[in-house]
Amino acid sequence: MFNKIIRRLRAILLELDNMLLRYVGCIPSHHIRRFFYGIQGMKIGKGSTLHMGAVFYDASKISIGQGSIIGENAVLDGRDKLIIGDHVDIASEVMIYNAEHDINDPEFKAVIAPVEIRDYVFIGPRAIILPGVKIGKGAVVAAGAVVTKDVGEFEIVGGVPAKVIGERKIKNPSYKIGRAAWFR
């Protein structure tokens, strides 16, 4: 009984934290949002930008490298480790999950697995990345794709479920993504 009460209290605190982070995501200042996300334990590299409206589930397990951009209304799941590399461009309304339900389990239990996105990856608008996926350096995920399996370095994937549709020609990227939009 005591363990059940403790689990319930933890769940309530996590939901309260998620609600506060959602409110922070509406503040029209990149610098203020970044400050509050850092207080919650999110690691954000130098020059990285998180645009307005982003939603987080347990920010303390999210790590974002240098010079990366997280687009408007993105969902980043931190219920397990979420590692985003350097110079990653995550477009608007992308959803990255590392927890889901096992639909074949009689108790519909949660399945949790980390997600890793390496350097110089581009994820197009409204793509969905599912638990346990690793996306290799320089890979591209097309808009609207649902990524259920690992993506190799410099592969271009698209579709539902995502499949390889091409390969990126550039093999040694060194570009820098644009500067932070202060009020976006």
Side-chain angles (χ1 to χ4, degrees):
M1 178 74 164
F2 181 72
N3 286 338
K4 186 175 181 180
I5 293 169
I6 295 299
R7 280 196 313 271
R8 186 67 179 147
L9 287 174
R10 282 186 183 155
I12 291 169
L13 289 174
L14 182 59
E15 289 302 315
L16 179 62
D17 190 50
N18 290 343
M19 181 187 71
L20 293 172
L21 286 174
R22 191 172 291 234
Y23 291 146
V24 167
C26 297
I27 297 171
S29 169
H30 163 75
H31 299 290
I32 294 171
R33 288 193 309 273
R34 208 179 137 97
F35 171 77
F36 281 106
Y37 296 150
I39 288 174
Q40 294 300 314
M42 187 184 303
K43 294 172 186 72
I44 305 170
K46 181 179 179 183
S48 288
T49 305
L50 291 88
H51 288 206
M52 287 180 62
V55 175
F56 305 99
Y57 304 125
D58 196 354
S60 68
K61 295 179 188 163
I62 298 172
S63 175
I64 300 170
Q66 295 183 9
S68 293
I69 293 178
I70 310 301
E72 290 94 352
N73 302 314
V75 175
L76 302 182
D77 189 345
R79 291 175 283 186
D80 199 336
K81 284 186 180 179
L82 172 55
I83 300 168
I84 298 170
D86 297 336
H87 311 292
V88 172
D89 187 351
I90 296 176
S92 298
E93 299 183 9
V94 168
M95 294 181 278
I96 303 172
Y97 291 104
N98 54 32
E100 64 182 344
H101 290 281
D102 181 351
I103 60 170
N104 294 313
D105 184 278
E107 295 181 23
F108 202 52
K109 288 187 178 175
V111 176
I112 299 172
V115 171
E116 184 177 352
I117 300 168
R118 304 294 298 217
D119 301 342
Y120 295 102
V121 168
F122 171 67
I123 301 176
R126 294 192 174 178
I128 300 171
I129 314 298
L130 294 179
V133 168
K134 290 182 174 76
I135 300 178
K137 178 180 179 179
V140 175
V141 176
V146 178
V147 182
T148 60
K149 296 180 181 171
D150 292 353
V151 178
E153 289 189 359
F154 303 103
E155 287 182 342
I156 301 170
V157 298
V160 180
K163 298 196 181 321
V164 177
I165 58 173
E167 187 173 321
R168 210 164 165 191
K169 291 181 172 77
I170 183 171
K171 299 296 183 194
N172 192 17
S174 61
Y175 56 82
K176 308 289 184 231
I177 299 174
R179 67 178 184 83
W182 283 21
F183 301 107
R184 189 167 161 197

